[in-house]
Amino acid sequence: NPILGETFQGAYPNGTQVYIEQIAHHPPISSWQVYDHDARYHFFGNGTWAASARGNSVKGQQTGANTVRFSHDDAEVSWEMPYLTIRGVLFGERYLKYGGSMRFQDAAHGLTCDVDIDTEGPGFFRSFFRRKKAHAQDAVHGVLRGKDGEELDVLTGSWLSHLEWEKGVCNGKLHTVWDAVKTPVDRAIAEREALPSDCRFRNDLVQLKTGTLDAAQRAKVELEQVQRADRRLRSEGLKRASA
């Protein structure tokens, strides 16, 4: 698990910069900043996880604000993530899927888009009596509405493969706005000149990569002790400040 104050600095192959920091330990909260290489947008937010186990599955959700600010008009689009279910935790084939609803909001332009993911539900009887055709659990359906609630466009597709608008963008010239084959996901490459707090420099992880497990465990315990000591100091400081 990341420790308080742990950071990561990196860049994607196209030059987009990413910065991440662990800003809380209990509950664990991560904060991030992503800067487009052409300064077209700034993506920022923070998130923590809440999860519950049920038999052979775990259901969780990343909560916290996600926001993209566009430089050409300073408009911001914000949203929260749907829930995630992992099945096959104890036995059987393990797989994960998203589900639930997401709301994207653009307050500057009065736009909202409610996106549903796998909203048919898992019940056998519900599926038997109500479904008229096969239901894809990765299906995405959304409705874009204006400030007066009028329907502007409809989003369909799959969070695994593609997303497309019914009416399209750019005056209807472009309908598919994301294609997993044409726009594969790249991993951020760590910066060489990073802060001392960068996750690559954690002594326990360094020892773990070299295969010295005993040394890695000792280093992990030392880090945890430092974290506890820092927490006590902060608590004492708050008490003195409020006295």
Side-chain angles (χ1 to χ4, degrees):
N1 294 328
I3 61 176
L4 183 62
E6 185 174 338
T7 59
F8 173 80
Q9 297 170 243
Y12 291 97
N14 67 352
T16 298
Q17 300 290 318
V18 55
Y19 305 92
I20 305 174
E21 181 177 356
Q22 193 73 6
I23 61 174
H25 189 57
H26 290 295
I29 301 176
S30 300
S31 179
W32 59 84
Q33 307 272 345
V34 179
Y35 294 92
D36 177 52
H37 65 291
D38 285 333
R40 294 169 299 180
Y41 67 84
H42 173 207
F43 172 39
F44 56 94
N46 60 77
T48 186
W49 277 89
S52 60
R54 294 183 179 180
N56 195 35
S57 65
V58 175
K59 183 177 180 179
Q61 184 177 22
Q62 177 186 310
T63 60
N66 301 267
T67 303
V68 173
R69 179 184 297 127
F70 296 95
S71 58
H72 71 282
D73 61 357
D74 284 332
E76 294 184 353
V77 177
S78 299
W79 70 95
E80 288 199 0
M81 299 295 290
Y83 68 80
L84 174 68
T85 301
I86 304 176
R87 301 188 184 278
V89 176
L90 301 177
F91 55 86
E93 182 180 1
R94 182 171 298 182
Y95 68 94
L96 62 85
K97 72 180 190 70
Y98 284 101
S101 300
M102 305 171 66
R103 167 164 285 195
F104 294 80
Q105 292 184 297
D106 178 354
H109 298 105
L111 300 174
T112 61
C113 185
D114 292 312
V115 178
D116 296 323
I117 304 174
D118 185 27
T119 55
E120 288 287 334
F124 171 78
F125 291 103
R126 179 177 180 179
S127 64
F128 182 82
F129 287 108
R130 296 189 181 181
R131 291 182 192 169
K132 296 182 179 180
K133 59 181 180 179
H135 168 64
Q137 294 187 353
D138 57 309
V140 173
H141 181 273
V143 177
L144 176 66
R145 299 187 184 277
K147 61 179 64 178
D148 296 324
E150 71 278 17
E151 182 177 306
L152 301 178
D153 209 342
V154 175
L155 177 73
T156 58
S158 161
W159 61 269
L160 290 174
S161 61
H162 70 286
L163 293 173
E164 58 185 35
W165 290 105
E166 188 175 274
K167 296 180 180 178
V169 296
C170 300
N171 295 321
K173 296 179 181 179
L174 178 66
H175 291 270
T176 302
V177 291
W178 174 68
D179 187 313
V181 176
K182 296 180 180 179
T183 54
V185 177
D186 292 314
R187 297 185 64 178
I189 302 172
E191 295 280 0
R192 291 184 178 180
E193 301 295 331
L195 294 172
S197 56
D198 195 273
C199 57
R200 292 170 296 153
F201 305 146
R202 276 181 52 173
N203 191 29
D204 59 335
L205 298 183
V206 172
Q207 298 293 341
L208 186 62
K209 288 181 180 179
T210 61
T212 52
L213 301 184
D214 291 340
Q217 180 61 30
R218 289 194 297 270
K220 180 176 181 294
V221 172
E222 291 174 0
L223 283 173
E224 291 173 345
Q225 291 174 343
V226 171
Q227 290 277 290
R228 296 189 186 99
D230 287 345
R231 186 177 183 181
R232 285 195 298 270
L233 289 174
R234 287 192 297 272
S235 297
E236 293 173 0
L238 288 173
K239 290 179 181 179
R240 292 177 182 177
S242 60

